Amino acid sequence: MKELNENELIAVTGGASKGGKIPPTYTVVAGDNLSTIAAKFNTTWKKIYDLNKELIDKTAKSHGIKAHFENYIYPGQVLKLK
């Protein structure tokens, strides 16, 4: 059986509980978007995007995306949460 890392465990259990500790990073899994990640950690998609703008924009551009980069995150990306 595969041992889950902290980010995978948080994804499986539905995120940080109220008043729970937010991890410094989160690894994107299939089906994630910035809004669902933000909801797990009681923040906003915009805050996560602003913390990770360079990574998100660069990766989206490398996939041929020309606009609205905030809509494109990919499994395996490690996003800063704080």
Side-chain angles (χ1 to χ4, degrees):
M1 176 180 258
K2 179 185 174 212
E3 185 174 317
L4 298 177
N5 69 37
E6 181 178 287
N7 292 329
E8 292 168 322
L9 182 58
I10 289 169
V12 170
T13 61
S17 62
K18 277 193 173 179
K21 183 178 176 188
I22 296 175
T25 62
Y26 175 81
T27 303
V28 177
V29 296
D32 277 343
N33 63 54
L34 291 180
S35 293
T36 58
I37 296 168
K40 289 178 186 179
F41 299 107
N42 196 31
T43 189
T44 67
W45 71 266
K46 181 74 167 118
K47 286 181 184 176
I48 296 173
Y49 177 69
D50 288 345
L51 285 169
N52 297 281
K53 184 177 180 4
E54 185 177 327
L55 170 68
I56 292 171
D57 292 0
K58 180 180 177 183
T59 305
K61 287 177 185 178
S62 76
H63 283 88
I65 306 303
K66 299 191 186 303
H68 302 289
F69 304 121
E70 68 277 2
N71 293 326
Y72 297 93
I73 58 173
Y74 300 89
Q77 280 182 309
V78 178
L79 303 177
K80 296 175 198 170
L81 297 179
K82 50 182 171 177

